[in-house]
């Protein structure tokens, strides 16, 4: 097992078990305890876990998954500007996947005037597009994760694996040039990876609060990201690294978004918010 793969397995194990011993990790990755301890030391230096005697625990910040309500108040104008760039990547007749997130919900709102087929596991995206006359929506079912208003799990992944997309649009909780896109939830990451595997082009939307941050589980490695859409406040050093690695980096300018456009977007979020959720946080 290669070093990067081994460390991803370690992080995935911590995402599930929260705390695990060195001996158990060594058996899991089929490596010596010395190798595992070295991996744990490096991952701790990167802020991705906390070492303790005989093992390691998941870092609290990397495990935290903001709720839908928390995300809606972060970088609202930036998300709207980013969505304006994203829709220009879609042609009439395309089949696209919009993964879960408030940023992809903003993309959905601006896609409403196109003639496309949209596959999504997001209740927010599906509801936003429910009245769009020329858009066919394929809502992917599974286990409802109420915290993000989206379906996850094996059934959702199997449904995605039978599809094919021109473009998949997705976000996450962190994005770095070294680790790519990441999220604190193992099941969310697994669904997003399944979508990426079925797409010709991968577009990541990450506002400045996510660029340079890292979360527990890698969703998309940097070499698989074709286009990154972000905003002007994103770390320029991190963006330069991503551009140097071959990612097409596109920066949205917030001043291009009018006050009226932002107000309409906020009203749409309130109008399309589901009345209740049956999922667990």
């Amino acid at each position: 097992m290669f070093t990067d793969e081994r460390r991803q397995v370690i992080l995935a194990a911590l995402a599930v078990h929260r705390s695990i011993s060195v001996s158990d990790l060594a058996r899991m990755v089929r490596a010596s305890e010395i190798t595992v301890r070295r991996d744990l030391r490096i991952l701790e230096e990167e802020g991705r876990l906390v070492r303790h005697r005989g093992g390691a625990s998941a870092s609290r910040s990397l495990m935290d998954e903001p709720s839908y309500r928390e995300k809606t108040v972060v970088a609202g104008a930036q998300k709207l500007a980013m969505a304006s760039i994203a829709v220009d990547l879609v042609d009439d007749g395309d089949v696209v996947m919009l993964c879960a997130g408030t940023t992809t919900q903003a993309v959905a709102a601006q896609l409403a005037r196109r003639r496309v087929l949209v596959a999504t596991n997001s209740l927010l995206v599906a509801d936003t597009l429910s009245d769009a006359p020329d858009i066919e929506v394929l809502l992917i079912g599974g286990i409802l994760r109420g915290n993000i208003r989206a379906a996850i799990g094996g059934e959702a992944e199997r449904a995605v694996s039978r599809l094919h997309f021109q473009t998949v649009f997705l976000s996450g909780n962190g994005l770095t040039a070294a680790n790519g896109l990441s999220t604190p939830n193992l099941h969310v990451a697994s669904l997003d990876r399944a979508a990426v595997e079925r797409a010709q082009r991968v577009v990541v939307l990450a506002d400045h609060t996510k660029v340079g941050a890292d979360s527990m589980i890698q969703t998309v490695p940097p070499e698989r990201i074709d286009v990154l859409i972000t905003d002007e406040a994103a770390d320029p050093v991190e963006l330069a690294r991503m551009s140097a690695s071959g990612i097409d980096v596109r920066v949205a300018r917030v001043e291009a978004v009018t006050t009226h456009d932002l107000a309409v977007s906020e009203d749409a979020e309130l109008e399309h918010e589901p009345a209740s959720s049956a999922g667990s946080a």
Side-chain angles (χ1 to χ4, degrees):
M1 189 178 292
F2 294 113
T3 300
D4 287 346
E5 183 183 2
R6 190 175 62 245
R7 290 173 184 170
Q8 285 300 318
V9 171
I10 289 172
L11 291 172
L14 287 173
V16 173
H17 301 290
R18 301 300 189 236
S19 182
I20 196 165
S21 69
V22 170
S23 59
D24 285 343
L25 286 172
R27 285 193 295 272
M28 190 176 299
V29 300
R30 298 181 181 178
S32 69
E33 292 190 10
I34 292 175
T35 297
V36 169
R37 290 182 190 278
R38 182 170 61 246
D39 288 339
L40 295 180
R41 184 179 68 253
I42 292 172
L43 290 170
E44 184 179 49
E45 290 171 356
E46 295 175 352
R48 304 177 73 184
L49 53 76
V50 177
R51 286 189 298 162
H52 53 73
R53 185 175 180 84
S57 300
S59 168
R60 183 72 258 167
S61 62
L62 295 177
M63 290 164 51
D64 288 342
E65 183 180 21
S67 69
Y68 159 72
R69 292 182 183 279
E70 292 170 327
K71 290 178 180 179
T72 55
V73 299
V74 177
Q78 288 86 351
K79 290 174 183 175
L80 190 58
M82 289 158 52
S84 296
I85 292 178
V87 296
D88 286 339
L89 299 174
V90 180
D91 295 322
D92 284 348
D94 279 357
V95 178
V96 302
M97 171 82 179
L98 296 183
C99 295
T102 54
T103 310
T104 50
Q105 183 188 12
V107 175
Q110 297 196 39
L111 269 180
R113 294 181 295 275
R114 300 295 179 92
R115 295 177 179 269
V116 295
L117 189 153
V118 175
T120 187
N121 64 320
S122 168
L123 299 183
L124 302 174
V125 168
D127 198 37
T128 297
L129 294 172
S130 60
D131 292 323
D134 297 319
I135 290 187
E136 186 174 355
V137 179
L138 175 59
L139 180 58
I140 295 167
I143 299 171
L144 178 62
R145 186 163 181 79
N147 198 40
I148 59 171
R149 306 293 200 271
I152 58 171
E155 287 299 324
E157 291 172 32
R158 282 187 285 274
V160 169
S161 71
R162 294 191 291 268
L163 304 174
H164 182 74
F165 318 109
Q166 270 83 30
T167 306
V168 58
F169 295 93
L170 71 167
S171 189
N173 293 73
L175 177 68
T176 65
N179 193 46
L181 190 67
S182 57
T183 179
N185 186 273
L186 180 66
H187 303 292
V188 173
S190 186
L191 188 286
D192 286 353
R193 280 195 295 266
V196 166
E197 289 177 3
R198 304 302 297 167
Q200 294 178 9
R201 177 173 57 182
V202 176
V203 179
V204 170
L205 299 105
D207 65 65
H208 65 277
T209 66
K210 299 172 183 177
V211 174
D214 216 345
S215 197
M216 177 68 71
I217 308 298
Q218 183 190 67
T219 303
V220 189
E223 63 271 16
R224 189 63 181 89
I225 300 172
D226 297 301
V227 181
L228 165 64
I229 303 176
T230 187
D231 64 76
E232 293 174 287
D235 182 356
V237 174
E238 198 70 35
L239 295 184
R241 290 175 182 150
M242 294 181 201
S243 182
S245 71
I247 298 172
D248 179 3
V249 177
R250 305 190 183 194
V251 179
R253 302 188 182 281
V254 175
E255 60 264 24
V257 180
T258 67
T259 302
H260 174 264
D261 289 336
L262 184 57
V264 169
S265 175
E266 289 173 346
D267 288 345
E269 285 183 352
L270 291 174
E271 178 182 349
H272 289 104
E273 182 178 349
S276 62
S277 171
S280 64

